[in-house]
Amino acid sequence: MPRAATTSDVFNAIAEPRRRDILSFLALEERSVGDIVSALSLGQPSVSKHLRVLKDVGLVQARRDGRQMLYRTNLDAMKPLHEFAETFQQMWRRQLKRIKVRAEGM
Amino acid sequence: MPRAATTSDVFNAIAEPRRRDILSFLALEERSVGDIVSALSLGQPSVSKHLRVLKDVGLVQARRDGRQMLYRTNLDAMKPLHEFAETFQQMWRRQLKRIKVRAEGM
DNA sequence: TTGACACATTCCTTCATCGGCATATAATCC
DNA sequence: GGATTATATGCCGATGAAGGAATGTGTCAA
C-alpha cells in the first residue's frame, strides 16, 4: 500500500513545505496565482497543482476575478490540525506543571 | 521529484494516520511495542517501522527495558507543528473579532 | 475573431512509501 | 548452549507523488 493521497486529508496536504508556504501567504489576504508564483518563486504549473491539492481538502477557497483566480486560506479547515496539536500542547503544559510541583516539593 | 521522505520533518511523519494514533497512545505514558500492536491492532513489523520514522524525526524516544523497548512521545518535538497551527489560530481569532466588531457597528 | 494574458491540466519519469512475509538481532531463562 | 520472547530489518509489489515541459481552457481587448 503506497502513501495516502495528498488530498486524503489536511495532514497529507500540509506535508509539502511549499504548500505550507502558500497557506501562510494566503492567510492574510486574497491573492492571485501570479502573486504566489512571484512571491514564492515557483513555476506556475507547480503552484496551480499545489493549489488544487489545497482546494481539494478545503484549505483554500477560490474566486474568479476577470482573468485571474483569487485564492485565500480557509482557516476553518485547519481545525483537525489544530486539535491534534492542541492535545499535545495541553499534555506538555501538564508535564511542566508536574515538574514544577516536584521541584517545589524539594 | 517524488514525495519527500517521511523522515524529512515532523509534518511528513505525522501525515500517516497510524503514526498519529501511535503518538496519541504514547503521549500519556511509556509503552512497549507489543502494547502498541495490541492496542492499535497493527502488525508488529508495521509498528516497528512507524516507530522508526517517528524516532528519526524525534517525535518519540526509546528506552530498552529487558527484552522490550519502551517508547514515549517527545512532546517537545511537536513544536513546529504547533507553531504552524497556532499562527492560523491567531488569525482565526482576529477574524472572528473583526466580524464581531462589524456586527456591533450595525 | 484574433491575439495576448492568466491559469489549469496532461504526460512523463523518477522515486519513496506502506503492508506482508520471512528473517535477523537482542535479551532472558533453563 | 538452546529455546523462547520481543523487536528490528530486508525484500517485494503496487501505487501515487512531484517537477518540468508542453498543451488546454478561459477571459478580456481591440
Side-chain angles (χ1 to χ4, degrees):
Chain A
M1 203 177 287
R3 212 198 285 209
T6 52
T7 53
S8 58
D9 59 33
V10 175
F11 295 94
N12 279 281
I14 64 157
E16 259 293 320
R18 315 294 178 99
R19 282 199 285 267
R20 292 198 297 278
D21 293 343
I22 292 175
L23 285 174
S24 298
F25 186 65
L26 297 178
L28 292 170
E29 46 184 327
E30 218 175 29
R31 298 284 199 173
S32 72
V33 177
D35 286 346
I36 304 170
V37 169
S38 39
L40 306 185
S41 48
L42 289 173
Q44 175 267 311
S46 186
V47 169
S48 281
K49 283 181 218 166
H50 284 313
L51 286 170
R52 179 83 150 94
V53 172
L54 293 172
K55 193 179 154 200
D56 281 355
V57 296
L59 280 169
V60 298
Q61 288 174 341
R63 178 173 76 86
R64 181 171 277 285
D65 176 40
R67 331 186 171 183
Q68 41 189 20
M69 291 290 280
L70 299 179
Y71 284 86
R72 65 182 182 83
T73 300
N74 178 23
L75 299 172
D76 205 49
M78 294 279 188
K79 221 172 208 173
L81 173 65
H82 188 263
E83 280 170 0
F84 182 74
E86 191 60 25
T87 305
F88 294 97
Q89 182 71 358
Q90 285 173 10
M91 291 179 184
W92 190 65
R93 278 193 286 259
R94 278 178 209 152
Q95 202 175 69
L96 277 185
K97 207 170 184 176
R98 244 176 291 147
I99 291 167
K100 203 182 161 193
V101 168
R102 202 182 307 159
E104 284 170 350
M106 284 168 72
Chain B
M1 204 176 286
R3 212 198 285 209
T6 52
T7 54
S8 57
D9 59 33
V10 174
F11 294 94
N12 279 282
I14 64 157
E16 258 293 320
R18 314 296 179 100
R19 283 200 284 267
R20 292 198 298 277
D21 293 343
I22 292 175
L23 285 174
S24 299
F25 186 64
L26 297 178
L28 293 169
E29 48 184 325
E30 217 175 30
R31 298 283 200 172
S32 73
V33 177
D35 285 347
I36 304 169
V37 169
S38 38
L40 306 185
S41 48
L42 290 173
Q44 175 267 311
S46 187
V47 169
S48 280
K49 283 177 213 167
H50 283 312
L51 286 170
R52 180 82 151 93
V53 172
L54 293 172
K55 192 179 155 199
D56 281 356
V57 295
L59 280 169
V60 298
Q61 287 173 342
R63 178 173 74 88
R64 182 170 277 286
D65 176 40
R67 331 181 174 184
Q68 40 189 18
M69 290 291 279
L70 299 180
Y71 285 86
R72 66 182 179 84
T73 300
N74 178 23
L75 298 173
D76 206 48
M78 293 280 189
K79 221 172 208 171
L81 174 65
H82 187 264
E83 280 171 359
F84 182 73
E86 191 59 27
T87 304
F88 294 98
Q89 182 71 358
Q90 283 172 10
M91 292 179 183
W92 189 64
R93 278 193 286 259
R94 277 177 210 154
Q95 204 176 67
L96 277 185
K97 206 169 184 175
R98 245 176 289 148
I99 291 168
K100 203 181 160 191
V101 168
R102 202 181 307 159
E104 284 169 348
M106 285 169 70

